[in-house]
Amino acid sequence: APGTYTIELKDSKKWEDGSATVYLKGNDQVNINLKQARATVMAMKPDPDFIVFIDGKPEKQNPFRVQPGEHDITFTLGGMSATETFNFEPGEAYRIIPTMSLSIE
């Protein structure tokens, strides 16, 4: 029926909350652009001097959020670093746990 309607998306794990108000005259079609929810990442830093980089940029918050998709995650401590590429899914929560080891021969 013609009229003004509010369309809401709430509590979706994969999509960001949002709303839109539309006025329909009759048999109208409505297109809504949805944004994927960002992934939440907690860096488990055993030392406060660990620095976390996302795609080469230092991340100051912990936990932090990233857009879904593939990202390079780098942990650095002093002169040592480890980098891993990971594909983050929308709305998921992740923990990054750095491990370092020695091989003695």
Side-chain angles (χ1 to χ4, degrees), residues 12 66 98 105:
S12 171
V66 296
E105 297 180 4

Side-chain angles (χ1 to χ4, degrees), residues 1-6 21-24:
T4 301
Y5 297 89
T6 299
T21 301
V22 296
Y23 176 74
L24 302 178

Side-chain angles (χ1 to χ4, degrees), residues 3-105:
T4 301
Y5 297 89
T6 299
I7 301 169
E8 293 184 319
L9 175 66
K10 290 190 209 178
D11 303 325
S12 171
K13 184 175 181 179
K14 302 290 182 189
W15 302 98
E16 288 186 10
D17 288 355
S19 67
T21 301
V22 296
Y23 176 74
L24 302 178
K25 298 176 209 163
N27 247 352
D28 294 333
Q29 182 176 2
V30 176
N31 294 313
I32 297 176
N33 293 322
L34 300 175
K35 293 181 183 179
Q36 285 188 316
R38 293 181 288 165
T40 302
V41 182
M42 170 66 87
M44 308 305 289
K45 302 192 298 184
D47 186 299
D49 292 332
F50 265 97
I51 300 172
V52 180
F53 293 84
I54 309 300
D55 299 325
K57 297 177 185 170
E59 181 56 59
K60 294 178 172 71
Q61 296 182 0
N62 196 24
F64 55 91
R65 297 177 66 184
V66 296
Q67 292 294 331
E70 197 169 273
H71 296 277
D72 291 330
I73 308 294
T74 302
F75 267 69
T76 64
L77 179 62
M80 298 186 304
S81 70
T83 300
E84 186 76 32
T85 300
F86 190 79
N87 186 34
F88 292 94
E89 295 293 326
E92 295 295 327
Y94 298 90
R95 289 186 320 144
I96 301 173
I97 305 167
T99 59
M100 295 188 177
S101 63
L102 296 174
S103 176
I104 300 174
E105 297 180 4

